[in-house]
Amino acid sequence: MEVENTFKQWKKQCLNKIDFSKKGSVDEDITNIVSVLNDSEKYFTTSSCSGRIIVIDGVSDCLDVQKQNCSWLFVTHQKCQKTDLVTALERSCGDVIFKFEPFILHVQCRQLGDAQLLHSVAVESGFRNSGITVGKKGKIIMAVRSTHCLEVPLSRKGQVLVSSDYIEFLVEVANQKMIENLRRIERFFECLQSAMHHEDLHCTSSEAVKEKSVYKRRRKRTQDSPVEACQSSNDATLSDEDNGLQNGMDLFT
């Protein structure tokens, strides 16, 4: 109970915090995923990005660029065009890097079993670099990650290092990666819904069987004599222990 209350407190604090990301809100392509997880009693999201194509101006000697805070020359969570990169390069006098970063999601989980379920969903959806970490205070974090990234330098101290044809080629590659990224996000959402629905059905079925079993035992006790009722109660206790052992064995089959 204490662990559950602590998890609820962590969830409340996290979801009530101000979003300090550059965008300031959840990306449109993953709002459904974030909503499903945050509506669950077992999870809440701590950070997320649907995937993006960005042009970054690195270390620069150009004071105008630094003053204008233009280290991010271009960013989109959808496909990009060649003109986007060309315009970004024209605005830079530093070291420009072109990047594609796939979908990433960090989720805090109530129990390790919940994290393992989410990890299975992620791997099944193509995010095979996903993993689980457990902090010193018992925080269980499940990270959904992928490896199909892209990072290419475009200029050095304001001098463009690549041709126009190569820029066009990079745009095609990045856009293909974005398309695949969105496909994996869709698969993740479908697998997540299926897994959570199956888990809910399993819990409901277990509770129904338990309630039915208790009802039968109580009915039998009222019909038996005091001695028989006592014996029936002992048998029921043993039966519960056997069921517990059987359930425990099922975990390892």
Side-chain angles (χ1 to χ4, degrees), residues 210-220:
K210 183 177 180 181
E211 289 177 1
K212 186 175 181 181
S213 177
V214 171
Y215 172 75
K216 284 184 177 179
R217 291 201 300 271
R218 287 178 178 173
R219 186 177 180 183
K220 181 173 178 59

Side-chain angles (χ1 to χ4, degrees), residues 21-210:
S21 65
K22 286 183 178 290
K23 188 169 181 288
S25 62
V26 177
D27 297 334
E28 183 178 354
D29 289 317
I30 58 172
T31 52
N32 49 3
I33 294 174
V34 172
S35 296
V36 167
L37 291 170
N38 288 336
D39 287 343
S40 170
E41 297 179 350
K42 302 176 182 179
Y43 308 103
F44 66 90
T45 60
T46 59
S47 65
S48 63
C49 177
S50 64
R52 61 194 180 189
I53 296 173
I54 54 179
V55 179
I56 300 176
D57 194 352
V59 179
S60 173
D61 298 327
C62 179
L63 296 179
D64 290 337
V65 170
Q66 292 177 356
K67 286 180 181 180
Q68 294 172 9
N69 193 26
C70 293
S71 56
W72 286 45
L73 301 176
F74 172 76
V75 58
T76 181
H77 297 278
Q78 303 296 328
K79 293 188 293 184
C80 68
Q81 298 180 359
K82 179 181 178 181
T83 54
D84 296 325
L85 269 69
V86 173
T87 301
L89 283 169
E90 291 173 351
R91 295 169 52 201
S92 170
C93 56
D95 301 342
V96 174
I97 297 176
F98 176 71
K99 299 177 69 175
F100 166 78
E101 297 176 341
F103 168 57
I104 186 168
L105 178 70
H106 291 92
V107 184
Q108 187 164 336
C109 310
R110 185 177 61 180
Q111 297 177 352
L112 184 58
D114 301 326
Q116 291 171 331
L117 176 67
L118 197 58
H119 182 266
S120 298
V121 169
V123 172
E124 188 70 22
S125 305
F127 299 99
R128 302 186 182 279
N129 198 34
S130 301
I132 301 171
T133 58
V134 180
K136 294 182 179 179
K137 295 183 179 180
K139 291 185 178 181
I140 303 171
I141 302 294
M142 163 59 199
V144 181
R145 295 182 299 238
S146 181
T147 57
H148 66 298
C149 306
L150 176 67
E151 182 171 341
V152 181
L154 298 181
S155 71
R156 171 68 174 167
K157 294 183 178 181
Q159 182 179 355
V160 178
L161 303 175
V162 296
S163 66
S164 177
D165 289 342
Y166 188 71
I167 291 176
E168 186 173 350
F169 168 72
L170 287 179
V171 169
E172 292 178 2
V173 172
N175 285 340
Q176 286 299 318
K177 286 181 176 290
M178 180 61 76
I179 292 172
E180 174 60 25
N181 180 65
L182 295 176
R183 285 177 184 161
R184 294 186 187 188
I185 289 175
E186 291 178 3
R187 284 204 303 269
F188 181 85
F189 181 57
E190 292 172 358
C191 291
L192 176 64
Q193 284 184 308
S194 177
M196 294 185 72
H197 178 65
H198 181 270
E199 190 76 4
D200 290 340
L201 287 178
H202 176 73
C203 292
T204 302
S205 176
S206 298
E207 290 175 359
V209 171
K210 183 177 180 181

Side-chain angles (χ1 to χ4, degrees), residues 229-243:
C230 182
Q231 182 65 43
S232 177
S233 177
N234 290 335
D235 292 343
T237 302
L238 290 173
S239 178
D240 286 343
E241 291 176 356
D242 290 342
N243 288 335

Side-chain angles (χ1 to χ4, degrees), residues 240-253:
D240 286 343
E241 291 176 356
D242 290 342
N243 288 335
L245 288 173
Q246 182 62 44
N247 290 336
M249 292 174 64
D250 289 343
L251 294 173
F252 298 94
T253 57

